[in-house]
Amino acid sequence: MTITRHYVLAAGGTGGHMMPAYALAAELMARGHHAALVTDDRGARIPGAPEGLQVHVLPAGRLGGGPVGWVRAALAIRKGRAMAIELMRAFDPSAVIGFGGYPALPALLGARALRIPTLIHDQNAVLGRVNRLIARRVDAIATSYPDVARMPRRCEGKVHLVGNPVRDAVVDLRTKGYPPLGSESVFRLLVTGGSQGASIFADIIPDALAMMPLAFRQRLQVTQQCRPEDIDRVRAAYAGHQIAADVATFIEDMPAKLDWAHLVIARAGASTIAELTCAGRPAILVPLPSATDDHQTHNTREMVAVGGARSIPQSRFTVVELAKQMQKLALEPGALEYAATRALGVGRPNATRDLADLVERTGGAGLMDVIEVGSAALANARATQGGLAGAGA
């Protein structure tokens, strides 16, 4: 017997917001529920949505740009809220879950107007702007870190630590263990700076690796993600230093590369930290200084505190500093294995399951529960979901 409920997920148009929303949608649908996603044009174009997920694009607006910008944003939010209310009246959700980003705000405001239970999930160690605006009004707050800055004190009683959902292929790496690393075996370094790489990594990393002892350089194998405009000079730099390197603008199969890597150099986005700790991979992290509220620096603190990573502020990310940190991790016996174990210890592989459990508890019996029995009834419910998509679009 399956109790089928309807849920609306709302997320802004960045991968950091969309991927946890996709993961939760897939889990809820696997449990026999119906799910719809509210986002903006950018979010609708981000790949990875589970099959069968309804996607609705609503106006949201961005706060900023002076008085004129504020007025425009308010009008867009008001219009989006009205459209969200119309959608929810048709879809009748048990709960609405926001993942941050401005497109989540109209949906959450619409849910509050209809007295539908609401939750928010924050991926970072600093509560995001939209989540701060709505935090006092929602019924539950799911966090990815035990300590989240800028959390309103009055909200502490409804905070639940669940973690940040990651792909099953990354969670599966926990059972494989850290790849063997002998004193003479190949040392595999993965460098990733986000979807298009980071230019400062192109500037610093090849020359820093060239400062390592010759015996180590001969064992070294690098996979580095670069911006298109940097790729030729990075390849030339590695060739000039006689370091084996595979340089590309996009890494097709990140879980496979995490499985391959002994050490990762990366930015400190929430998804990156979640994947590193779920897989148990040591890292050198360089927080993006322009990240809102410096949230990437906050994201590093738990992993660094336990010994699973080292963090270098971009202002101090130099050839000499990186070479020094590389030597401490790569050349001291047992240092990487220890760091891998410590990173694994703060991973939260059950984040998707725990978030779905919280959603079900907060949603309660819901507004439109139906009791379904057997696979034929579940197929019937999915057909009904397709009809609602047409009505709510």
Side-chain angles (χ1 to χ4, degrees):
M1 182 178 72
T2 302
I3 299 178
T4 300
R5 299 171 184 163
H6 295 184
Y7 295 101
V8 170
L9 286 62
T14 67
H17 296 311
M18 298 298 294
M19 300 315 292
Y22 288 161
L24 176 63
E27 176 69 15
L28 292 172
M29 292 164 71
R31 296 183 183 198
H33 302 307
H34 303 159
L37 174 70
V38 171
T39 187
D40 58 0
D41 290 323
R42 285 193 307 157
R45 293 194 297 268
I46 292 175
E51 186 177 354
L53 177 67
Q54 299 180 32
V55 178
H56 302 267
V57 175
L58 301 184
R62 291 183 62 86
L63 302 178
V68 174
W70 280 83
V71 171
R72 287 176 179 169
L75 291 173
I77 291 169
R78 183 177 179 181
K79 182 179 179 181
R81 176 181 176 274
M83 293 173 67
I85 288 173
E86 183 179 350
L87 168 65
M88 290 175 208
R89 282 176 173 156
F91 195 68
D92 245 352
S94 295
V96 175
I97 306 96
F99 287 84
Y102 289 104
L105 186 56
L108 291 165
L109 292 174
R112 293 299 299 163
L114 295 176
R115 301 192 177 187
I116 297 169
T118 52
L119 307 83
I120 54 175
H121 176 273
D122 208 293
Q123 302 82 49
N124 292 299
V126 180
L127 198 65
R129 290 179 179 176
V130 167
N131 283 346
R132 291 202 297 270
L133 284 172
I134 202 76
R136 291 182 178 87
R137 304 184 187 183
V138 299
D139 298 289
I141 301 171
T143 66
S144 301
Y145 295 89
D147 296 311
V148 177
R150 309 206 58 175
M151 179 71 70
R153 188 167 297 177
R154 281 186 284 171
C155 295
E156 292 174 356
K158 56 185 175 183
V159 172
H160 305 263
L161 174 62
V162 300
N164 194 14
V166 301
R167 293 166 281 188
D168 289 342
V170 174
V171 175
D172 291 345
L173 299 180
R174 292 179 73 81
T175 61
K176 299 186 69 173
Y178 186 71
L181 181 61
S183 60
E184 297 182 1
S185 58
V186 173
F187 185 100
R188 301 191 293 263
L189 174 67
L190 173 62
V191 181
T192 175
S195 60
Q196 292 187 328
S199 287
I200 193 168
F201 289 178
D203 297 337
I204 299 296
I205 293 174
D207 291 344
L209 296 178
M211 296 182 67
M212 301 291 284
L214 176 61
F216 178 79
R217 297 201 309 270
Q218 292 174 337
R219 297 168 47 209
L220 189 57
Q221 186 172 343
V222 180
T223 293
Q224 182 162 343
Q225 184 184 28
C226 287
R227 294 180 183 274
E229 61 268 28
D230 295 330
I231 197 165
D232 289 338
R233 69 184 178 92
V234 173
R235 284 175 176 159
Y238 280 121
H241 297 318
Q242 297 183 318
I243 294 173
D246 177 16
V247 182
T249 58
F250 183 74
I251 296 175
E252 292 285 346
D253 190 345
M254 186 60 74
K257 278 302 177 185
L258 282 173
D259 186 27
W260 170 88
H262 293 113
L263 177 65
V264 179
I265 300 176
R267 290 298 194 186
S271 295
T272 297
I273 300 289
E275 291 190 344
L276 289 170
T277 55
C278 276
R281 291 298 180 269
I284 295 174
L285 302 170
V286 186
L288 180 67
S290 60
T292 304
D293 298 318
D294 197 23
H295 67 252
Q296 288 203 4
T297 296
H298 289 264
N299 289 350
T300 68
R301 287 176 178 165
E302 182 183 35
M303 193 176 177
V304 169
V306 300
R310 293 170 182 267
S311 180
I312 305 175
Q314 184 163 305
S315 60
R316 294 198 292 107
F317 187 66
T318 63
V319 169
V320 172
E321 180 63 24
L322 178 58
K324 182 168 61 176
Q325 297 299 332
M326 281 288 301
Q327 291 197 42
K328 289 179 179 178
L329 277 171
L331 301 183
E332 292 183 10
L336 281 170
E337 290 85 350
Y338 173 82
T341 300
R342 303 300 290 175
L344 195 70
V346 292
R348 296 181 177 89
N350 298 321
T352 305
R353 182 201 69 190
D354 293 346
L355 180 56
D357 288 347
L358 177 63
V359 167
E360 288 183 327
R361 291 196 306 271
T362 305
L367 301 173
M368 195 173 172
D369 284 0
V370 292
I371 297 179
E372 306 280 5
V373 181
S375 58
L378 182 56
N380 207 17
R382 287 176 176 157
T384 303
Q385 180 188 16
L388 280 170

